[in-house]
Amino acid sequence: MHITPNTTSSHLPQPGIRRVRIGEGRPFPLGATWDGIGVNFAIFSANATKVELCIFDPEGKQEVERIELPEYTNEIFHGYLREARPGMIYGYRVYGPYEPDAGHRFNPNKLLLDPYAKQHVGSLTWDHALFGYTIGHADEDLSFDERDSAPFMPKCRVIDPAFTWGDERAPRVPWDRTIFYETHVKGYTQRHPAVAETDKGKFAGLMTREVVDYIRSLGVTSVELLPIHAFVDDSYLVDKGLRNYWGYNTIGFFAPDSRYLAGSSVAEFKEMVSAFHHSGLEVILDVVYNHTAEGNEKGPTLSFKGIDNATYYRLLPDQPRYYINDTGTGNTVNTSHPRVMQLVTDSLRYWAGEMRVDGFRFDLATILAREPTGFSEESSFLHACMQDPLLSQVKLIAEPWDCGPGGYQVGRFPPGWAEWNDGYRDTIRSYWRGDDGMVGAVAGKISASADLFDKRGRKPWASVNFITAHDGFTLHDLVSYNEKHNEANGENNQDGNSHNISYNYGAEGPTEDKEIVETRFRQLRNFFATLLFSRGTPMILAGDEFARTQGGNNNAYAQDNEIGWVDWDITPESRELAEFVQKLIALRQSLAMLRRGTFLHGTFDEELGVKDVAWITPSGTEFEEANWQDPEARCFGVLLDGRAQSTGIRRPGTDATMLIVMNAHFDVVNFTLPEAPGGRRWRCVIDTNLPDREELAPFEFGKTYMATGRSFLVFMLEPVDGDGATKEARRSFAHVSEAFARSAVDRLRL
């Protein structure tokens, strides 16, 4: 079906409205750009025949003018309005064939958001007029709807980007010191007692001094925010009285979502970034470029679909009426097209440059690296990011999977990228639950998953290690529920992953049984200690450090309420856990051994006469093949020799030697402390069964240490007196001792 809309009078001004003068303008930059005199408008469409700029009153309610963009250069419509000023509300109407069978869905009755808009105003109200076709029509999406969607649409606002950054400087935290802290703007601030009522759930709330001070005092370095780009609440959620709380439903790649603004200016986001930077904290954005809120052929026409559907989305080659759905959300953004890739990279440069964020975590990043033939490590998008002088200097983190064919690509992103390592998550969960035969897998994961990442010069930091994230159980719920409890989502508990690798230790959910509570909190400490003493880049889910719960809901994407919000009414036990995590972080940052840029392989270095790592049995001997194959093995040691080569230069290392003991058995295991060259004795730094220990207790070589059931231990080798490398090792040991003592004094600003 090919429909040519009647456009004879749609562009005419309303009676009494003054027609303004428009100049030719320029085809760049794309979007609405204020130059101090007027505004240049430029929008790309390869298949449109005409574009009208629609101007609205200051409230965004009444359309007061339609102006045809007069020039078309290199597939870009453009024009210049000398009378336009920042604050002007606008949108577009785009003309062209309505021919769904050919992939074209132009409908000028639908007001469209500018893909490059820096701010959206108003909210979307679900109505049948939002759809390019007539819902209920016999021809379904082949039909053509003539209702005006403007009354139900958010609009775009021209902004003045001017902002005084003052002495703000990006922290530029080295990768080896980076610790991510994943959180949600509203969820983190909505119930915080120090946040002003008007700032709750806003960027302004997140930059409240008490909030920033707490994050900084915890010791994390990089705050990773769930999506803040303008997004849409799905209609099926709105019908159920729910919202798209997480925000993975983007409709504007340049505009911060208006629900996170306490005021009316996007400068609020810049102020937040500046506040974090002044405290030495990085800001990382979780970004969704793989799909948009427009869904499939039955979805609404809000922006890209009406501007150039055949270009912006991946369509079935032999049936372009339908969308390729590698995202599971209805559509897939077509980054194979140069203009679409430009849109994404322009957006990234805007946030990294103009908004000064420090990095990006890419949702379903495999899709961005898909070519028509499938995922490629040499994709144009990945190359574009790594060669870009700005983007190549910020942190790039991939969620390396999607639901399309060949979508799981952990370890296959190119050098310069870090990746979420879900294998780490599942392995560590299984081990501490007490599953059989996990020792070998755990050894690989705490060594930064060398089997996946040790290639092409990649470093251990490329593995982003996590045990929990926004998607799934919180850490508290991981040790409190055997089953998910998502009833509040209204899907009969059928949504969310049922494979949680969780354990409740005797009671489903809350309990007053002291033994169960004690076991749960020890397991929480075990998880944190494992995460922070593994090689790789740790990521902590915000609130896990004080045992935040979602009541067993492992898919709180629609819970914009107490289920999804962080509860700051913290119990004494939870505060103690947070202070223990603070101690672990302080120790990690003091232990150069954990931050080395080398993977652990356990091979003997003939020249230096040392192994980088030795795996130790409870009897104090090195692992043999039979130990690795023992399905009942649940306790082992990791001896990290500080004399091992620490960089590419062939010379002995000078770091403090460490012994880590992990016991996932439910009962006590007597562990014989092995002798280590260059040391006098062992000093116990961490015992998750004794979290409040305030001294580095000494233990002689050969002594048997009673490792409590389900516990994690860290010992540091006390070096002997001597010269050269031994002196450096003593300095390293002293540095750790100071960090340990300091952690007993410094308290969280909770």
Side-chain angles (χ1 to χ4, degrees):
M1 177 179 291
H2 183 136
I3 297 176
T4 302
N6 180 356
T7 62
T8 55
S9 61
S10 62
H11 65 289
L12 296 177
Q14 300 297 316
I17 300 298
R18 181 177 59 90
R19 180 181 292 280
V20 297
R21 183 185 302 276
I22 187 164
E24 295 81 359
R26 300 181 300 172
F28 60 88
L30 290 164
T33 306
W34 161 247
D35 63 6
I37 299 174
V39 177
N40 190 80
F41 294 89
I43 180 172
F44 158 79
S45 181
N47 295 293
T49 58
K50 181 174 71 173
V51 173
E52 289 179 338
L53 173 69
C54 302
I55 302 173
F56 289 80
D57 64 19
E59 289 73 39
K61 302 295 184 182
Q62 182 68 39
E63 184 177 347
V64 297
E65 184 73 43
R66 291 191 196 181
I67 306 167
E68 182 177 345
L69 295 183
E71 286 292 333
Y72 188 55
T73 305
N74 297 331
E75 299 183 330
I76 295 172
F77 293 85
H78 55 94
Y80 183 83
L81 278 182
R82 194 177 184 87
E83 293 90 343
R85 296 290 182 270
M88 190 185 85
I89 310 299
Y90 74 99
Y92 287 116
R93 297 183 188 273
V94 180
Y95 294 75
Y98 188 85
E99 194 174 357
D101 281 331
H104 301 308
R105 295 179 178 273
F106 296 99
N107 187 336
N109 298 295
K110 310 305 168 184
L111 186 76
L112 304 174
L113 294 165
D114 180 357
Y116 278 76
K118 306 303 191 299
Q119 186 174 8
H120 291 182
V121 295
S123 57
L124 183 140
T125 301
W126 283 103
D127 188 90
H128 286 187
L130 294 170
F131 296 78
Y133 65 99
T134 302
I135 292 179
H137 193 282
D139 290 332
E140 296 183 310
D141 64 297
L142 297 178
S143 63
F144 183 83
D145 191 85
E146 297 185 354
R147 286 171 290 187
D148 183 8
S149 68
F152 312 100
M153 281 287 294
K155 314 299 189 300
C156 307
R157 174 181 281 156
V158 177
I159 70 162
D160 182 348
F163 182 79
T164 302
W165 287 95
D167 61 353
E168 176 273 344
R169 293 293 182 273
R172 298 196 179 280
V173 179
W175 264 110
D176 67 306
R177 288 191 174 274
T178 298
I179 301 175
F180 292 121
Y181 189 65
E182 189 195 35
T183 193
H184 185 282
V185 172
K186 183 173 185 180
Y188 201 71
T189 61
Q190 187 66 27
R191 303 177 72 181
H192 197 292
V195 175
E197 199 63 35
T198 55
D199 295 342
K200 289 184 183 296
K202 315 295 183 183
F203 297 127
L206 202 56
M207 63 178 163
T208 300
R209 175 46 51 191
E210 290 83 350
V211 173
V212 177
D213 284 349
Y214 165 71
I215 296 173
R216 182 59 181 163
S217 68
L218 183 60
V220 297
T221 67
S222 310
V223 179
E224 183 176 311
L225 300 178
L226 265 66
I228 58 90
H229 289 173
F231 63 93
V232 169
D233 291 318
D234 312 73
S235 59
Y236 77 93
L237 291 177
V238 174
D239 291 342
K240 292 192 293 186
L242 300 172
R243 293 290 184 269
N244 192 315
Y245 170 58
W246 287 346
Y248 290 94
N249 205 29
T250 305
I251 196 59
F253 296 139
F254 292 79
D257 195 276
S258 59
R259 71 194 80 191
Y260 297 142
L261 294 173
S264 59
S265 173
V266 299
E268 184 180 325
F269 181 88
K270 295 180 179 179
E271 292 170 8
M272 181 201 71
V273 171
S274 180
F276 275 82
H277 283 182
H278 275 100
S279 291
L281 293 166
E282 294 182 320
V283 177
I284 310 294
L285 296 187
D286 191 335
V287 288
V288 187
Y289 296 112
N290 58 80
H291 74 279
T292 77
E294 291 185 301
N296 61 16
E297 68 277 1
K298 299 292 185 67
T301 297
L302 309 175
S303 182
F304 311 95
K305 185 179 289 186
I307 294 171
D308 196 343
N309 182 69
T311 295
Y312 279 109
Y313 295 115
R314 295 190 188 276
L315 308 178
L316 291 177
D318 55 344
Q319 290 183 296
R321 173 184 175 185
Y322 303 105
Y323 296 75
I324 292 174
N325 185 21
D326 289 335
T327 65
T329 60
N331 64 54
T332 304
V333 172
N334 180 24
T335 50
S336 296
H337 191 283
R339 284 297 186 190
V340 181
M341 186 175 70
Q342 179 191 356
L343 170 73
V344 174
T345 53
D346 281 353
S347 169
L348 292 170
R349 280 187 288 267
Y350 174 75
W351 289 99
E354 180 68 30
M355 307 300 254
R356 299 198 182 185
V357 303
D358 305 283
F360 305 93
R361 179 267 188 188
F362 294 83
D363 180 62
L364 302 184
T366 301
I367 284 171
L368 300 176
R370 277 188 186 275
E371 299 296 341
T373 55
F375 174 84
S376 172
E377 295 179 53
E378 306 302 324
S379 78
S380 55
F381 173 76
L382 297 180
H383 278 302
C385 289
M386 291 314 302
Q387 63 80 36
D388 187 277
L390 177 58
L391 299 182
S392 61
Q393 300 304 307
V394 301
K395 290 183 167 73
L396 302 174
I397 308 112
E399 182 186 38
W401 52 77
D402 63 37
C403 65
Y408 190 79
Q409 297 293 339
V410 176
R412 290 199 56 200
F413 277 71
W417 284 75
E419 302 174 42
W420 273 26
N421 188 348
D422 64 328
Y424 179 94
R425 173 197 65 196
D426 294 348
T427 298
I428 302 305
R429 286 186 179 192
S430 296
Y431 172 75
W432 284 115
R433 189 173 66 172
D435 292 2
D436 289 344
M438 295 304 302
V439 169
V442 170
K445 295 308 177 188
I446 65 177
S447 302
S449 302
D451 58 320
L452 296 173
F453 296 101
D454 190 8
K455 58 186 179 181
R456 301 181 68 185
R458 300 184 79 182
K459 297 295 185 181
W461 56 256
S463 174
V464 176
N465 300 331
F466 65 103
I467 297 166
T468 56
H470 66 276
D471 187 3
F473 277 147
T474 65
L475 201 60
H476 169 278
D477 292 355
L478 187 67
V479 299
S480 303
Y481 295 91
N482 285 348
E483 309 293 339
K484 64 184 180 181
H485 295 271
N486 298 349
E487 291 80 7
N489 294 355
E491 299 181 37
N492 297 317
N493 205 33
Q494 299 301 305
D495 63 305
N497 197 333
S498 296
H499 183 62
N500 296 293
I501 320 178
S502 62
Y503 190 42
N504 66 21
Y505 300 96
E508 186 74 354
T511 180
E512 295 183 2
D513 186 304
K514 292 184 178 180
E515 184 176 347
I516 294 176
V517 171
E518 180 182 336
T519 300
R520 288 176 176 177
F521 270 86
R522 187 164 64 253
Q523 286 288 65
L524 293 178
R525 293 190 290 271
N526 291 336
F527 278 123
F528 273 115
T530 306
L531 178 66
L532 290 162
F533 279 75
S534 296
R535 288 203 181 176
T537 304
M539 184 183 80
I540 296 170
L541 175 62
D544 273 355
E545 72 274 15
F546 48 77
R548 171 181 169 251
T549 181
Q550 290 181 166
N553 191 313
N554 77 347
N555 190 32
Y557 78 104
Q559 299 302 324
D560 188 3
N561 50 44
E562 285 79 3
I563 293 175
W565 302 337
V566 172
D567 184 359
W568 290 91
D569 186 12
I570 299 171
T571 66
E573 283 179 317
S574 293
R575 184 186 183 95
E576 290 173 3
L577 175 65
E579 291 177 346
F580 180 75
V581 174
Q582 180 192 37
K583 177 189 290 187
L584 293 176
I585 292 174
L587 289 170
R588 177 186 174 86
Q589 299 292 39
S590 300
L591 288 165
M593 172 63 74
L594 298 176
R595 299 183 282 99
R596 283 184 171 186
T598 54
F599 291 89
L600 299 173
H601 291 287
T603 53
F604 184 74
D605 188 318
E606 296 285 351
E607 183 178 340
L608 300 179
V610 65
K611 283 185 176 182
D612 56 355
V613 60
W615 308 96
I616 310 299
T617 69
S619 61
T621 61
E622 279 201 56
F623 261 54
E624 297 179 353
E625 187 60 31
N627 300 114
W628 292 115
Q629 301 303 322
D630 183 0
E632 297 184 0
R634 290 179 173 80
C635 181
F636 68 103
V638 188
L639 181 59
L640 300 171
D641 198 321
R643 302 171 301 155
Q645 181 178 337
S646 60
T647 69
I649 300 175
R650 297 286 296 170
R651 64 186 176 195
T654 58
D655 297 324
T657 293
M658 298 172 55
L659 173 66
I660 296 172
V661 177
M662 300 173 67
N663 179 23
H665 196 273
F666 68 87
D667 205 354
V668 171
V669 171
N670 292 318
F671 197 97
T672 301
L673 300 176
E675 184 173 353
R680 292 179 174 180
R681 61 181 69 86
W682 293 106
R683 294 273 183 172
C684 186
V685 180
I686 294 294
D687 182 342
T688 55
N689 188 52
L690 300 168
D692 297 326
R693 176 176 278 166
E694 294 188 358
E695 62 177 355
L696 296 173
F699 295 92
E700 302 301 324
F701 297 148
K703 180 178 177 60
T704 297
Y705 191 99
M706 295 179 62
T708 305
R710 302 188 180 102
S711 63
F712 184 103
L713 314 166
V714 179
F715 298 88
M716 300 296 300
L717 185 67
E718 181 182 338
V720 297
D721 292 329
D723 296 324
T726 308
K727 283 187 176 181
E728 292 301 317
R730 288 186 64 81
R731 289 193 186 99
S732 178
F733 178 81
H735 188 49
V736 173
S737 300
E738 291 169 6
F740 182 89
R742 191 168 60 249
S743 69
V745 176
D746 294 343
R747 292 303 182 208
L748 283 171
R749 300 181 182 183
L750 270 171

